[in-house]
Amino acid sequence: MSFGRGNRVGVILMMLALVLLQFYLRPRLWDSRVAPDFLLIALLVIAMGSRPGAGAVAGLLVGLIVDALTPARVGAGMLAHTIVGYLASWGRAVFFAENILVHAGMFFAGVWVRNLIVVLASGSSGATIVREMLTVAPLQGLTTAVAGMLVLYIVREWFELRLDV
């Protein structure tokens, strides 16, 4: 997946739709701790279609937005999203990126790694870390992976994606 000149409009439309879903639909779904993270989906789609430096910058920007909304842990979101953006860009080169299971795994792992970094960087207790990593992060990772796959299925023609099994 790459973003040439022809599909920049598609990327912009997808990003706007994901931002609207994040701030309009997500609060109306389940508990926010397990609801799909549409901003992380946007970050991972951008990161998987770009170089590691661009993925890290996209992560920094998404982290800045997230940290602006949760001022109790300022900096933790920027750090976590920057690392996840970089790793997703790098991981695209390592894994066969046109496989639907790889995309789902990237969404799931992105949420899990992001949550782990945020919990560790915010100085949480051991019990909170264990609960987050064994219950909350896997549930949010699962819902985000399902939502991410739906997004990729919808925009597959814009980005000329082949989603093989």
Side-chain angles (χ1 to χ4, degrees):
M1 166 175 30
S2 63
F3 305 122
R5 293 177 193 243
N7 57 10
R8 285 188 183 160
V9 172
V11 170
I12 291 170
L13 289 175
M14 182 192 65
M15 293 300 139
L16 288 174
L18 288 170
V19 168
L20 286 173
L21 288 171
Q22 177 76 17
F23 296 113
Y24 183 74
L25 180 65
R26 186 171 191 256
R28 288 161 177 75
L29 289 174
W30 313 281
D31 181 9
S32 65
R33 293 178 299 168
V34 296
D37 190 339
F38 296 106
L39 286 179
L40 189 68
I41 293 171
L43 167 63
L44 291 173
V45 169
I46 290 293
M48 286 189 281
S50 60
R51 295 182 178 187
V57 170
L60 181 70
L61 294 174
V62 169
L64 181 65
I65 293 169
V66 169
D67 276 350
L69 299 173
T70 56
R73 304 182 280 203
V74 174
M78 286 188 288
L79 174 66
H81 286 90
T82 301
I83 291 171
V84 167
Y86 177 81
L87 291 175
S89 291
W90 182 78
R92 173 188 59 103
V94 173
F95 299 110
F96 184 64
E98 273 123 20
N99 188 310
I100 193 166
L101 298 175
V102 171
H103 282 292
M106 293 282 273
F107 289 125
F108 183 87
V111 169
W112 198 87
V113 169
R114 189 265 325 260
N115 287 4
L116 175 65
I117 295 169
V118 167
V119 167
L120 291 174
S122 62
S124 299
S125 68
T128 303
I129 294 170
V130 170
R131 186 185 78 240
E132 179 72 29
M133 294 302 98
L134 296 179
T135 59
V136 176
L139 289 173
Q140 187 178 28
L142 182 64
T143 60
T144 301
V146 169
M149 295 315 303
L150 286 172
V151 167
L152 288 181
Y153 184 77
I154 291 168
V155 300
R156 73 186 182 282
E157 291 181 17
W158 290 354
F159 300 137
E160 298 166 0
L161 283 173
R162 285 187 6 229
L163 295 175
D164 300 332
V165 176

